[in-house]
Amino acid sequence: MNYYIIIPAHNEEAFLADTLNSVLRQSLPPKQVVVVNDNSSDNTEVIIDEFLNLSNSIQKLNTTSSDQHMPGSKVISAFHKGIELLDTNYDFIVKLDADVILPDNYFERIAYIFQGNPKVGIAGGFIYEQIAYNEWKLNHPMNKNHVRGAIKAYSKDCFKAIGGLKNAMGWDTLDELLAQFNGYEIFTEDSLHVKHLRPTGNAYDPKAKLLQGKAMYTMRYGFWISCISSLKMAWKQKNKKAFLTNMYGFFMAKKAREPFLVDAKEGRYIRKLRWQGIRQKLF
């Protein structure tokens, strides 16, 4: 199978070489890799240029944007710019973070998953983060059938059906909800352990905290699902303020009448799916 990779990179000099080396070691190599140098002020571009000489499949795109590292908006804006350089002659497309190390068979296995089940629209492995020297621990706070945003692969048909990736906080939840709305399945592969070199969210701007509640509102979760999701998040983070921050963001978005990311029909499906998940965990 042919596949393309887009890697948004903002000030990733400490990690990017490891990521690109793991891409070049793939037993099933990508057809094209676009590294989007997103307004970096460090040596990110120097590292990209070094890899341009190692593989004809790697392309560089320099772009300018805000210095604020906000979840959703910045990285997906860079992703959208990268995809403009690519044609549609691919079987699946990958959004990959610039601070991960993939196992050598990662995309060979992903291709096998897509080939084996055409209903699979989104596939990926699991994120592990270092807790001690040479000791890596699973860091997967979401449901096990969720693919983390750092390592998402989309079949061509699914990517088209969901309209690509939404430029907003919560994009890596909304894509899976819309995939299921359109009849596709999410597949996670336990055997694929991806090393995440920087803990999730460490580089985010402090203002990002309010965006989680806004995301729940714009995805049409409604009050009760947003409330339950926020309580769950606060419990997992062992942070009572997370609940209050989320709900404040939710009500601020409601007051401002922020535009919804999904239509009414999609919203009804999303709420139904969320309630099903809540009931399964309770009973």
Side-chain angles (χ1 to χ4, degrees), residues 4 86-91 156:
Y4 297 155
L86 299 171
D87 56 37
T88 58
N89 296 321
Y90 63 87
D91 296 296
K156 181 178 179 179

Side-chain angles (χ1 to χ4, degrees), residues 12-62:
E12 299 285 3
E13 65 175 0
F15 312 112
L16 182 58
D18 288 329
T19 299
L20 291 176
N21 274 321
S22 75
V23 168
L24 293 183
R25 290 195 301 265
Q26 291 301 302
S27 54
L28 178 65
K31 185 178 180 182
Q32 293 188 63
V33 180
V34 177
V35 186
V36 183
N37 176 30
D38 185 19
N39 205 37
S40 297
S41 57
D42 63 1
N43 289 320
T44 293
E45 185 176 7
V46 174
I47 294 169
I48 299 171
D49 288 341
E50 291 174 353
F51 278 85
L52 293 179
N53 297 322
L54 296 177
S55 175
N56 293 329
S57 65
I58 297 178
Q59 301 179 61
K60 177 183 72 174
L61 173 64
N62 287 328

Side-chain angles (χ1 to χ4, degrees), residues 9-272:
H10 172 70
N11 290 343
E12 299 285 3
E13 65 175 0
F15 312 112
L16 182 58
D18 288 329
T19 299
L20 291 176
N21 274 321
S22 75
V23 168
L24 293 183
R25 290 195 301 265
Q26 291 301 302
S27 54
L28 178 65
K31 185 178 180 182
Q32 293 188 63
V33 180
V34 177
V35 186
V36 183
N37 176 30
D38 185 19
N39 205 37
S40 297
S41 57
D42 63 1
N43 289 320
T44 293
E45 185 176 7
V46 174
I47 294 169
I48 299 171
D49 288 341
E50 291 174 353
F51 278 85
L52 293 179
N53 297 322
L54 296 177
S55 175
N56 293 329
S57 65
I58 297 178
Q59 301 179 61
K60 177 183 72 174
L61 173 64
N62 287 328
T63 185
T64 57
S65 67
S66 169
D67 290 330
Q68 287 184 314
H69 192 182
M70 304 294 283
S73 58
K74 185 175 179 63
V75 69
I76 298 305
S77 291
F79 178 89
H80 287 161
K81 292 175 183 177
I83 206 169
E84 291 175 2
L85 298 184
L86 299 171
D87 56 37
T88 58
N89 296 321
Y90 63 87
D91 296 296
F92 64 93
I93 191 163
V94 180
K95 183 268 175 194
L96 191 69
D97 277 6
D99 57 0
V100 298
I101 299 177
L102 305 164
D104 293 352
N105 68 331
Y106 188 86
F107 290 116
E108 181 180 4
R109 180 61 185 162
I110 295 296
Y112 179 82
I113 292 166
F114 283 131
Q115 282 181 319
N117 186 354
K119 290 184 179 180
V120 174
I122 301 176
F126 286 87
I127 291 288
Y128 284 72
E129 292 178 352
Q130 192 168 23
I131 58 173
Y133 178 75
N134 208 27
E135 185 177 352
W136 296 79
K137 182 180 179 181
L138 176 68
N139 182 0
H140 201 85
M142 308 295 285
N143 294 330
K144 285 296 182 75
N145 62 348
H146 169 72
V147 179
R148 293 281 291 274
I151 49 171
K152 305 203 85 155
Y154 306 83
S155 72
K156 181 178 179 179
D157 289 342
C158 176
F159 192 74
K160 181 179 179 179
I162 66 176
L165 306 185
K166 306 298 183 184
N167 192 340
M169 174 69 168
W171 68 269
D172 59 337
T173 296
L174 183 58
D175 59 350
E176 296 183 357
L177 295 171
L178 291 177
Q180 292 171 91
F181 174 81
N182 284 282
Y184 292 95
E185 298 175 4
I186 317 301
F187 192 98
T188 50
E189 176 54 67
D190 288 331
S191 68
L192 295 178
H193 296 186
V194 178
K195 294 179 178 178
H196 194 200
L197 303 176
R198 178 174 53 207
T200 304
N202 274 19
Y204 287 153
D205 190 281
K207 296 178 182 178
K209 292 180 180 179
L210 292 176
L211 296 181
Q212 190 69 51
K214 176 183 176 182
M216 293 176 183
Y217 173 79
T218 55
M219 287 190 285
R220 294 183 184 264
Y221 275 20
F223 171 77
W224 287 112
I225 295 177
S226 298
C227 188
I228 293 169
S229 297
S230 297
L231 283 170
K232 178 183 175 183
M233 184 177 298
W235 178 75
K236 285 193 171 184
Q237 295 178 357
K238 295 180 173 59
N239 180 6
K240 296 178 182 178
K241 290 184 178 179
F243 171 76
L244 297 175
T245 301
N246 278 8
M247 295 311 297
Y248 181 74
F250 175 89
F251 284 114
M252 287 294 291
K254 185 176 182 179
K255 182 179 180 181
R257 296 186 178 181
E258 294 285 349
F260 292 114
L261 296 173
V262 296
D263 61 32
K265 185 178 180 180
E266 291 168 335
R268 286 192 296 272
Y269 177 85
I270 287 171
R271 289 191 296 275
K272 180 181 178 181

